[in-house]
Amino acid sequence: MTTPHTPGDAARLAATMAARATRGLSGPMAHARMAEATRLTRAGRLTEAMSVLQGAGTAFPTMPGAFAAARAAAPHPLSGRVSRGSVSGPAGTRDHRLVVPTTRPGGPPLLVMLHGGTQDAESFASATGMDELAEREGFVVVYPEQARSANAMGYWNWFEPAHQGRRGEAALIAAVIAEVAAAHDVDRDRVFVAGFSAGAAMAAVVGAAYPDLVAGVGVHSGLPAGAARDVGSAFAAMRGGPYRVGATSVPTIVVHGADDPTVAAVNGTRAVEAALAEHPGCARTVEHGTGARSWTRERWTDRDGRVRAEHWTVHGSGHAWSGGRAGGSYTDPAGPDASTAMVEFFAEVASGPVSTNPCQSTD
């Protein structure tokens, strides 16, 4: 995150951040947040200032869910083994929560799940129900956890250049993958990364930076890699402002609420554009569904039938994990089941044919 060079620069940045984060709010609470954010920014404490503004409910939020009815929010027994671990690197140390299914084939897939802001590994696992899917389908799932010392509200720092590319927090997540894969004989060709909100944006960063390590990415209510380079551009991108969309070579599934007030739905479209940037001419199919929430699913496949991108738009849903547990952190139980949709997408990616010239040119 860039530090202002002068008090005037800091004041202008604080005012801009506060205006963006508290837009549409009024009353003493909003004014108090603006004043505190200004004070912290003038002191050069931008991460803390951003966290104060995020308390307004409009900054990097936390998580949303394709096919089925909502799962109950009751405590659930898990047959698989749950453990904790940590990895360290130049960007510090990050803990992680690991679930290894009781029964699994040799060389199981690995799914990395990145939580959103104000969440942790445990609450994200509970909200998404991914533990149960891992046990049922026989894949390993690991939940890296952001350190509050790195971001006071628990957001992955996807918008900071120091954590983009093959460094910083992206490198720490890659280190988690390497450690878990070696310890549990994971199939290195079936490693996938998914997340929600800030975690989704970081999943996109990891997928773009490590196509040699990651076979597919899931972006729920997030943004593509390279959408921002600092706090100001992050706020602008989240609200749907323009930015240059890069390219990622890994297949990507996107789930986004059409009425998301925190991360504008256009960012889901841009994440798909990033996945297709190097694969022009893929065939597009569209499917519509109804239920407690209606949805639209778009798929792009190459001439060999390999899926390159999938995009779920959940109509009427906001900033929440679609089909997540009732009462969970940032969940919309009325929506289609995003967890199942992602697992099925990754299974299709893993079993699909390998294409050396994926899509027909549109020229």
Side-chain angles (χ1 to χ4, degrees):
M1 188 177 296
T2 303
T3 300
H5 295 292
T6 69
D9 291 338
R12 283 189 290 273
L13 178 57
T16 299
M17 291 168 64
R20 285 171 173 163
T22 58
R23 186 175 298 155
L25 299 178
S26 61
M29 182 63 72
H31 293 301
R33 284 175 178 147
M34 292 174 70
E36 178 64 6
T38 300
R39 183 188 70 79
L40 290 169
T41 305
R42 284 173 173 162
R45 295 158 63 184
L46 296 189
T47 297
E48 294 172 65
M50 185 181 68
S51 297
V52 170
L53 295 179
Q54 287 164 346
T58 57
F60 315 115
T62 340
M63 330 270 129
F67 309 121
R71 292 177 288 265
H76 55 281
L78 181 65
S79 299
R81 293 171 292 165
V82 181
S83 61
R84 304 280 304 194
S86 65
V87 298
S88 298
T93 298
R94 299 295 184 276
D95 295 335
H96 59 76
R97 177 183 183 275
L98 176 68
V99 175
V100 179
T102 304
T103 303
R104 65 187 190 279
L110 170 63
L111 176 58
V112 181
M113 290 284 284
L114 301 177
H115 65 77
T118 74
Q119 291 183 317
D120 56 20
E122 195 68 40
S123 63
F124 191 36
S126 178
T128 61
M130 198 60 81
D131 284 2
E132 292 92 324
L133 279 174
E135 175 67 8
R136 188 180 76 201
E137 302 297 331
F139 61 86
V140 176
V141 58
V142 63
Y143 303 84
E145 194 167 77
Q146 176 64 305
R148 289 308 197 264
S149 60
N151 187 292
M153 296 293 286
Y155 295 95
W156 295 98
N157 292 304
W158 59 272
F159 50 89
E160 293 187 350
H163 301 292
Q164 298 168 348
R166 297 171 77 100
R167 57 186 178 271
E169 290 172 1
L172 281 173
I173 293 165
V176 171
I177 292 173
E179 178 182 283
V180 173
H184 298 282
D185 193 27
V186 162
D187 183 345
R188 299 301 182 104
D189 293 327
R190 294 191 293 167
V191 174
F192 307 98
V193 180
F196 172 79
S197 192
M202 182 55 77
V205 168
V206 173
Y210 292 94
D212 53 328
L213 192 64
V214 175
V217 169
V219 177
H220 201 315
S221 306
L223 307 92
R229 303 289 290 176
D230 53 28
V231 172
S233 60
F235 277 116
M238 289 166 59
R239 288 191 166 84
Y243 53 83
R244 182 178 177 274
V245 176
T248 179
S249 60
V250 298
T252 300
I253 178 171
V254 172
V255 183
H256 214 114
D259 298 332
D260 190 331
T262 305
V263 180
V266 68
N267 289 292
T269 300
R270 291 169 180 168
V272 171
E273 291 174 0
L276 297 175
E278 296 179 350
H279 308 292
C282 285
R284 174 177 172 263
T285 59
V286 182
E287 178 185 3
H288 301 281
T290 59
R293 296 207 186 281
S294 60
W295 48 266
T296 300
R297 181 175 75 153
E298 302 167 274
R299 285 167 56 87
W300 289 263
T301 54
D302 61 33
R303 61 185 179 184
D304 292 330
R306 181 177 182 181
V307 62
R308 302 300 315 184
E310 183 168 306
H311 187 189
W312 290 80
T313 301
V314 184
H315 306 291
S317 187
H319 196 72
W321 188 272
S322 183
R325 291 182 175 278
S329 173
Y330 291 92
T331 59
D332 180 6
D337 184 357
S339 297
T340 298
M342 287 187 179
V343 169
E344 292 187 354
F345 176 83
F346 294 145
E348 183 177 358
V349 167
S351 63
V354 176
S355 299
T356 56
N357 186 21
C359 297
Q360 297 282 7
S361 172
T362 57
D363 294 340

